[in-house]
PDB file of all heavy atoms in Angstrom:
ATOM      1  N   ALA P 380      16.750  11.610  -3.061  1.00 96.00           N
ATOM      2  CA  ALA P 380      17.741  11.188  -4.064  1.00 96.00           C
ATOM      3  C   ALA P 380      18.872  10.374  -3.398  1.00 96.00           C
ATOM      4  O   ALA P 380      19.413   9.411  -3.990  1.00 96.00           O
ATOM      5  CB  ALA P 380      18.243  12.372  -4.734  1.00 96.00           C
ATOM      6  N   LYS P 381      19.208  10.725  -2.181  1.00 97.00           N
ATOM      7  CA  LYS P 381      20.299   9.984  -1.449  1.00 97.00           C
ATOM      8  C   LYS P 381      19.889   8.580  -1.292  1.00 97.00           C
ATOM      9  O   LYS P 381      20.746   7.608  -1.246  1.00 97.00           O
ATOM     10  CB  LYS P 381      20.580  10.668  -0.107  1.00 97.00           C
ATOM     11  CG  LYS P 381      21.752  10.147   0.654  1.00 97.00           C
ATOM     12  CD  LYS P 381      22.054  11.011   1.891  1.00 97.00           C
ATOM     13  CE  LYS P 381      23.306  10.609   2.592  1.00 97.00           C
ATOM     14  NZ  LYS P 381      23.035   9.421   3.363  1.00 97.00           N
ATOM     15  N   MET P 382      18.686   8.277  -1.067  1.00 97.00           N
ATOM     16  CA  MET P 382      18.108   6.915  -0.874  1.00 97.00           C
ATOM     17  C   MET P 382      18.033   6.211  -2.260  1.00 97.00           C
ATOM     18  O   MET P 382      18.484   5.128  -2.455  1.00 97.00           O
ATOM     19  CB  MET P 382      16.785   6.831  -0.207  1.00 97.00           C
ATOM     20  CG  MET P 382      16.859   7.202   1.314  1.00 97.00           C
ATOM     21  SD  MET P 382      15.207   7.076   2.043  1.00 97.00           S
ATOM     22  CE  MET P 382      14.510   8.641   1.640  1.00 97.00           C
ATOM     23  N   ALA P 383      17.361   6.863  -3.245  1.00 96.00           N
ATOM     24  CA  ALA P 383      17.079   6.300  -4.469  1.00 96.00           C
ATOM     25  C   ALA P 383      18.237   6.156  -5.391  1.00 96.00           C
ATOM     26  O   ALA P 383      18.378   5.191  -6.203  1.00 96.00           O
ATOM     27  CB  ALA P 383      15.926   6.995  -5.183  1.00 96.00           C
ATOM     28  N   LYS P 384      19.152   7.144  -5.411  1.00 96.00           N
ATOM     29  CA  LYS P 384      20.270   7.163  -6.388  1.00 96.00           C
ATOM     30  C   LYS P 384      19.793   6.767  -7.775  1.00 96.00           C
ATOM     31  O   LYS P 384      20.181   5.787  -8.268  1.00 96.00           O
ATOM     32  CB  LYS P 384      21.424   6.257  -5.876  1.00 96.00           C
ATOM     33  CG  LYS P 384      22.039   6.706  -4.593  1.00 96.00           C
ATOM     34  CD  LYS P 384      23.184   5.843  -4.175  1.00 96.00           C
ATOM     35  CE  LYS P 384      23.880   6.386  -2.953  1.00 96.00           C
ATOM     36  NZ  LYS P 384      23.037   6.467  -1.733  1.00 96.00           N
ATOM     37  N   PRO P 385      18.933   7.581  -8.373  1.00 97.00           N
ATOM     38  CA  PRO P 385      18.357   7.196  -9.596  1.00 97.00           C
ATOM     39  C   PRO P 385      19.328   7.096 -10.824  1.00 97.00           C
ATOM     40  O   PRO P 385      20.272   7.902 -10.865  1.00 97.00           O
ATOM     41  CB  PRO P 385      17.313   8.361  -9.895  1.00 97.00           C
ATOM     42  CG  PRO P 385      17.808   9.488  -9.065  1.00 97.00           C
ATOM     43  CD  PRO P 385      18.441   8.908  -7.835  1.00 97.00           C
ATOM     44  N   ASP P 386      19.079   6.121 -11.624  1.00 96.00           N
ATOM     45  CA  ASP P 386      19.868   6.003 -12.864  1.00 96.00           C
ATOM     46  C   ASP P 386      19.342   6.889 -13.942  1.00 96.00           C
ATOM     47  O   ASP P 386      20.115   7.303 -14.851  1.00 96.00           O
ATOM     48  CB  ASP P 386      19.916   4.583 -13.379  1.00 96.00           C
ATOM     49  CG  ASP P 386      20.541   3.601 -12.358  1.00 96.00           C
ATOM     50  OD1 ASP P 386      21.729   3.462 -12.394  1.00 96.00           O
ATOM     51  OD2 ASP P 386      19.774   3.002 -11.538  1.00 96.00           O
ATOM     52  N   VAL P 387      18.024   7.177 -13.981  1.00 97.00           N
ATOM     53  CA  VAL P 387      17.440   8.113 -14.847  1.00 97.00           C
ATOM     54  C   VAL P 387      16.523   9.017 -14.076  1.00 97.00           C
ATOM     55  O   VAL P 387      15.685   8.537 -13.243  1.00 97.00           O
ATOM     56  CB  VAL P 387      16.495   7.314 -15.900  1.00 97.00           C
ATOM     57  CG1 VAL P 387      15.928   8.293 -16.829  1.00 97.00           C
ATOM     58  CG2 VAL P 387      17.312   6.246 -16.617  1.00 97.00           C
ATOM     59  N   CYS P 388      16.719  10.282 -14.218  1.00 97.00           N
ATOM     60  CA  CYS P 388      15.944  11.342 -13.541  1.00 97.00           C
ATOM     61  C   CYS P 388      14.948  11.949 -14.521  1.00 97.00           C
ATOM     62  O   CYS P 388      15.426  12.383 -15.621  1.00 97.00           O
ATOM     63  CB  CYS P 388      16.774  12.472 -12.971  1.00 97.00           C
ATOM     64  SG  CYS P 388      17.947  11.964 -11.638  1.00 97.00           S
ATOM     65  N   VAL P 389      13.663  11.927 -14.222  1.00 98.00           N
ATOM     66  CA  VAL P 389      12.664  12.571 -15.018  1.00 98.00           C
ATOM     67  C   VAL P 389      11.982  13.681 -14.301  1.00 98.00           C
ATOM     68  O   VAL P 389      11.561  13.468 -13.163  1.00 98.00           O
ATOM     69  CB  VAL P 389      11.627  11.481 -15.440  1.00 98.00           C
ATOM     70  CG1 VAL P 389      10.550  12.101 -16.313  1.00 98.00           C
ATOM     71  CG2 VAL P 389      12.274  10.262 -16.177  1.00 98.00           C
ATOM     72  N   ILE P 390      11.923  14.886 -14.887  1.00 97.00           N
ATOM     73  CA  ILE P 390      11.161  15.990 -14.317  1.00 97.00           C
ATOM     74  C   ILE P 390      10.106  16.344 -15.282  1.00 97.00           C
ATOM     75  O   ILE P 390      10.334  16.737 -16.469  1.00 97.00           O
ATOM     76  CB  ILE P 390      12.055  17.178 -13.901  1.00 97.00           C
ATOM     77  CG1 ILE P 390      13.217  16.722 -13.011  1.00 97.00           C
ATOM     78  CG2 ILE P 390      11.188  18.184 -13.243  1.00 97.00           C
ATOM     79  CD1 ILE P 390      14.100  17.890 -12.547  1.00 97.00           C
ATOM     80  N   THR P 391       8.811  16.304 -14.902  1.00 95.00           N
ATOM     81  CA  THR P 391       7.707  16.551 -15.739  1.00 95.00           C
ATOM     82  C   THR P 391       7.433  18.042 -16.017  1.00 95.00           C
ATOM     83  O   THR P 391       7.086  18.404 -17.136  1.00 95.00           O
ATOM     84  CB  THR P 391       6.419  15.974 -15.196  1.00 95.00           C
ATOM     85  OG1 THR P 391       6.082  16.600 -13.891  1.00 95.00           O
ATOM     86  CG2 THR P 391       6.631  14.494 -14.977  1.00 95.00           C
ATOM     87  N   ASN P 392       7.666  18.888 -15.015  1.00 92.00           N
ATOM     88  CA  ASN P 392       7.381  20.338 -15.213  1.00 92.00           C
ATOM     89  C   ASN P 392       7.696  21.033 -13.832  1.00 92.00           C
ATOM     90  O   ASN P 392       7.817  20.426 -12.826  1.00 92.00           O
ATOM     91  CB  ASN P 392       5.937  20.620 -15.626  1.00 92.00           C
ATOM     92  CG  ASN P 392       4.915  19.849 -14.717  1.00 92.00           C
ATOM     93  OD1 ASN P 392       4.963  19.988 -13.528  1.00 92.00           O
ATOM     94  ND2 ASN P 392       4.096  19.099 -15.433  1.00 92.00           N
ATOM     95  N   ILE P 393       7.758  22.357 -13.927  1.00 92.00           N
ATOM     96  CA  ILE P 393       7.847  23.267 -12.791  1.00 92.00           C
ATOM     97  C   ILE P 393       6.642  24.114 -12.694  1.00 92.00           C
ATOM     98  O   ILE P 393       6.525  25.057 -13.472  1.00 92.00           O
ATOM     99  CB  ILE P 393       9.192  24.124 -12.888  1.00 92.00           C
ATOM    100  CG1 ILE P 393      10.358  23.223 -13.015  1.00 92.00           C
ATOM    101  CG2 ILE P 393       9.294  24.993 -11.650  1.00 92.00           C
ATOM    102  CD1 ILE P 393      10.630  22.253 -11.848  1.00 92.00           C
ATOM    103  N   GLY P 394       5.723  23.744 -11.883  1.00 82.00           N
ATOM    104  CA  GLY P 394       4.403  24.403 -11.829  1.00 82.00           C
ATOM    105  C   GLY P 394       4.326  25.391 -10.667  1.00 82.00           C
ATOM    106  O   GLY P 394       5.344  26.033 -10.231  1.00 82.00           O
ATOM    107  N   ILE P 395       3.175  25.514 -10.065  1.00 77.00           N
ATOM    108  CA  ILE P 395       2.951  26.417  -8.940  1.00 77.00           C
ATOM    109  C   ILE P 395       2.382  25.647  -7.720  1.00 77.00           C
ATOM    110  O   ILE P 395       1.468  26.194  -7.049  1.00 77.00           O
ATOM    111  CB  ILE P 395       2.003  27.554  -9.397  1.00 77.00           C
ATOM    112  CG1 ILE P 395       0.757  27.033 -10.080  1.00 77.00           C
ATOM    113  CG2 ILE P 395       2.773  28.555 -10.274  1.00 77.00           C
ATOM    114  CD1 ILE P 395      -0.228  28.145 -10.513  1.00 77.00           C
ATOM    115  N   CYS P 396       2.949  24.482  -7.431  1.00 71.00           N
ATOM    116  CA  CYS P 396       2.556  23.724  -6.255  1.00 71.00           C
ATOM    117  C   CYS P 396       3.488  24.095  -5.066  1.00 71.00           C
ATOM    118  O   CYS P 396       4.647  24.481  -5.306  1.00 71.00           O
ATOM    119  CB  CYS P 396       2.640  22.233  -6.505  1.00 71.00           C
ATOM    120  SG  CYS P 396       1.692  21.728  -7.862  1.00 71.00           S
ATOM    121  N   HIS P 397       3.049  23.942  -3.840  1.00 67.00           N
ATOM    122  CA  HIS P 397       3.924  24.033  -2.639  1.00 67.00           C
ATOM    123  C   HIS P 397       4.565  25.487  -2.549  1.00 67.00           C
ATOM    124  O   HIS P 397       5.636  25.577  -2.114  1.00 67.00           O
ATOM    125  CB  HIS P 397       5.030  22.940  -2.608  1.00 67.00           C
ATOM    126  CG  HIS P 397       4.400  21.581  -2.805  1.00 67.00           C
ATOM    127  ND1 HIS P 397       3.521  20.991  -2.053  1.00 67.00           N
ATOM    128  CD2 HIS P 397       4.681  20.652  -3.833  1.00 67.00           C
ATOM    129  CE1 HIS P 397       3.226  19.847  -2.407  1.00 67.00           C
ATOM    130  NE2 HIS P 397       3.945  19.548  -3.505  1.00 67.00           N
ATOM    131  N   LEU P 398       3.847  26.444  -2.957  1.00 74.00           N
ATOM    132  CA  LEU P 398       4.433  27.779  -2.892  1.00 74.00           C
ATOM    133  C   LEU P 398       4.513  28.316  -1.417  1.00 74.00           C
ATOM    134  O   LEU P 398       5.288  29.262  -1.254  1.00 74.00           O
ATOM    135  CB  LEU P 398       3.512  28.770  -3.745  1.00 74.00           C
ATOM    136  CG  LEU P 398       3.572  28.526  -5.179  1.00 74.00           C
ATOM    137  CD1 LEU P 398       2.613  29.532  -5.862  1.00 74.00           C
ATOM    138  CD2 LEU P 398       4.994  28.696  -5.809  1.00 74.00           C
ATOM    139  N   GLU P 399       3.835  27.728  -0.512  1.00 74.00           N
ATOM    140  CA  GLU P 399       3.942  28.057   0.887  1.00 74.00           C
ATOM    141  C   GLU P 399       5.363  28.026   1.375  1.00 74.00           C
ATOM    142  O   GLU P 399       5.933  28.954   2.079  1.00 74.00           O
ATOM    143  CB  GLU P 399       3.068  27.212   1.783  1.00 74.00           C
ATOM    144  CG  GLU P 399       1.566  27.497   1.663  1.00 74.00           C
ATOM    145  CD  GLU P 399       0.784  26.614   2.562  1.00 74.00           C
ATOM    146  OE1 GLU P 399       1.195  25.516   2.880  1.00 74.00           O
ATOM    147  OE2 GLU P 399      -0.293  27.161   3.029  1.00 74.00           O
ATOM    148  N   ASN P 400       6.083  27.003   0.967  1.00 78.00           N
ATOM    149  CA  ASN P 400       7.495  26.854   1.343  1.00 78.00           C
ATOM    150  C   ASN P 400       8.519  27.284   0.339  1.00 78.00           C
ATOM    151  O   ASN P 400       9.542  27.860   0.618  1.00 78.00           O
ATOM    152  CB  ASN P 400       7.803  25.381   1.804  1.00 78.00           C
ATOM    153  CG  ASN P 400       6.996  24.937   2.953  1.00 78.00           C
ATOM    154  OD1 ASN P 400       6.760  25.736   3.892  1.00 78.00           O
ATOM    155  ND2 ASN P 400       6.514  23.717   2.973  1.00 78.00           N
ATOM    156  N   LEU P 401       8.198  27.009  -0.961  1.00 82.00           N
ATOM    157  CA  LEU P 401       9.168  27.193  -2.050  1.00 82.00           C
ATOM    158  C   LEU P 401       9.061  28.533  -2.707  1.00 82.00           C
ATOM    159  O   LEU P 401       9.850  28.964  -3.457  1.00 82.00           O
ATOM    160  CB  LEU P 401       8.968  26.039  -3.059  1.00 82.00           C
ATOM    161  CG  LEU P 401       9.196  24.693  -2.505  1.00 82.00           C
ATOM    162  CD1 LEU P 401       8.949  23.527  -3.639  1.00 82.00           C
ATOM    163  CD2 LEU P 401      10.615  24.513  -1.886  1.00 82.00           C
ATOM    164  N   LYS P 402       7.923  29.233  -2.378  1.00 81.00           N
ATOM    165  CA  LYS P 402       7.716  30.675  -2.651  1.00 81.00           C
ATOM    166  C   LYS P 402       7.481  31.017  -4.192  1.00 81.00           C
ATOM    167  O   LYS P 402       6.538  31.568  -4.553  1.00 81.00           O
ATOM    168  CB  LYS P 402       8.877  31.535  -2.200  1.00 81.00           C
ATOM    169  CG  LYS P 402       9.094  31.377  -0.705  1.00 81.00           C
ATOM    170  CD  LYS P 402       7.865  31.732   0.094  1.00 81.00           C
ATOM    171  CE  LYS P 402       8.154  31.590   1.656  1.00 81.00           C
ATOM    172  NZ  LYS P 402       6.867  31.842   2.398  1.00 81.00           N
TER     173      LYS P 402
END
Side-chain angles (χ1 to χ4, degrees):
K381 187 172 185 287
M382 289 183 275
K384 294 183 174 62
D386 298 275
V387 182
C388 295
V389 181
I390 305 183
T391 62
N392 47 55
I393 303 299
I395 48 177
C396 305
H397 309 301
L398 293 178
E399 285 182 331
N400 296 322
L401 303 177
K402 304 302 181 186

